[in-house]
């Protein structure tokens, strides 16, 4: 991490907190007052935003929406903060940690869209339970999303596709589209550095859309 990125963390991160997410600042797990914090606007969530390309793209494309990004790796958080400072994006909030802590304090039916883009594949079989697409994560996500809202997943790992298609419906989501054709990205998609790396290495992106009924 370079000095500028360290400065972003020190100077910008606290002001972009979506609320008392951490146990150290919110041990009682008091829910976020969504109407006050986000001024009654729709709220979207990106789970593991990496370097923040997609999150900033969405923030710029949809200024009428408020976005929360969760990312436990501080290098990625610093990269996002640099992009926000450069562009002056006003509608992004950042939790530099585990999304499960955010789920604790999100009221039921408070999210209007969620994204999971190129998540950590945890390729070893014994580590598959660490993937996001397990009931431990999907059930609280389902509860936090409003009826009729969309959950998008992008990955280049075939076994992650398999697990996603098996596990996400178990949590209550309904798959939309043709399960035999997962090659079409969304109209507002931006290809991230992770996707470009996958393409360079000969892996095929897959795009899956689910909806909470």
């Amino acid at each position: 991490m370079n000095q500028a990125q360290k400065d972003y963390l020190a100077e910008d991160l606290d002001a972009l907190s979506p609320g008392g997410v951490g146990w150290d600042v919110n041990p009682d797990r008091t829910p976020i007052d969504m109407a006050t914090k986000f001024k009654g606007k729709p709220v979207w969530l990106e789970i593991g935003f990496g370097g923040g390309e997609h999150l900033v793209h969405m923030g710029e494309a949809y200024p009428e929406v408020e976005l929360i990004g969760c990312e436990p790796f501080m290098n990625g958080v610093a990269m996002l903060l640099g992009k926000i400072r450069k562009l002056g994006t006003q509608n992004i909030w950042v939790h530099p940690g585990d999304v499960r802590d955010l789920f604790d304090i999100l009221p039921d039916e408070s999210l209007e869209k969620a994204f999971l883009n190129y998540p950590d594949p945890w390729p070893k079989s014994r580590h598959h339970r660490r993937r996001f697409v397990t009931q431990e994560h999907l059930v609280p996500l389902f509860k936090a999303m409003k009826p009729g809202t969309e959950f998008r997943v992008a990955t280049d790992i075939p076994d992650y596709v398999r697990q996603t298609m098996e596990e996400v419906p178990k949590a209550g989501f309904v798959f939309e589209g043709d399960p035999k054709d997962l090659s079409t990205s969304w109209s507002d998609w931006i290809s991230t550095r992770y996707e470009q790396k996958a393409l360079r290495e000969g892996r095929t992106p897959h795009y899956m859309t689910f909806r909470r009924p």
Side-chain angles (χ1 to χ4, degrees):
M1 195 180 299
N2 60 39
Q3 187 57 50
Q5 291 173 326
K6 293 177 182 177
D7 291 343
Y8 301 151
L9 292 171
E11 298 169 9
D12 299 351
L13 182 57
D14 285 349
L16 297 179
S17 172
V21 180
W23 283 80
D24 56 333
V25 296
N26 186 1
D28 296 329
R29 313 314 287 151
T30 302
I32 297 174
D33 183 340
M34 302 292 285
T36 300
K37 183 67 180 181
F38 303 113
K39 304 178 182 66
K41 296 179 181 180
V43 179
W44 297 356
L45 171 67
E46 182 161 346
I47 302 153
F49 55 72
E53 302 101 314
H54 177 267
L55 188 58
V56 168
H57 168 71
M58 287 301 196
E60 291 290 305
Y62 298 97
E64 73 279 8
V65 170
E66 300 288 308
L67 295 105
I68 305 172
C70 293
E71 174 59 63
F73 296 104
M74 297 308 290
N75 279 27
V77 173
M79 291 174 65
L80 170 67
L81 295 178
K83 293 178 175 71
I84 291 173
R85 185 182 283 199
K86 179 179 179 181
L87 293 171
T89 311
Q90 297 292 314
N91 56 340
I92 292 177
W93 305 86
V94 185
H95 170 51
D98 195 317
V99 71
R100 287 174 293 187
D101 292 335
L102 181 68
F103 287 149
D104 284 348
I105 61 167
L106 279 177
D108 291 352
E109 300 184 3
S110 57
L111 298 177
E112 300 204 14
K113 193 169 287 190
F115 311 95
L116 179 69
N117 298 325
Y118 292 90
D120 192 327
W122 292 105
K124 294 181 180 179
S125 295
R126 67 177 183 272
H127 292 155
H128 286 184
R129 60 185 174 79
R130 299 184 184 180
R131 290 174 171 175
F132 181 85
V133 288
T134 61
Q135 298 307 300
E136 177 186 7
H137 303 93
L138 293 168
V139 169
L141 174 64
F142 182 87
K143 289 179 62 179
M145 297 192 70
K146 292 184 178 181
T149 54
E150 187 179 77
F151 173 40
R152 298 179 180 180
V153 183
T155 181
D156 59 308
I157 305 299
D159 190 65
Y160 208 102
V161 174
R162 174 201 60 77
Q163 189 170 344
T164 300
M165 295 293 283
E166 289 177 359
E167 294 296 324
V168 176
K170 289 181 185 177
F173 293 94
V174 175
F175 175 74
E176 293 192 335
D178 181 355
K180 296 180 181 179
D181 181 12
L182 304 176
S183 62
T184 303
S185 62
W186 304 277
S187 60
D188 54 3
W189 174 248
I190 182 173
S191 186
T192 67
R193 62 193 179 113
Y194 293 106
E195 180 166 282
Q196 291 302 310
K197 181 175 186 289
L199 292 169
R200 288 195 303 271
E201 296 177 359
R203 295 189 298 276
T204 302
H206 298 77
Y207 310 96
M208 292 162 280
T209 302
F210 300 88
R211 194 169 297 277
R212 174 172 174 172

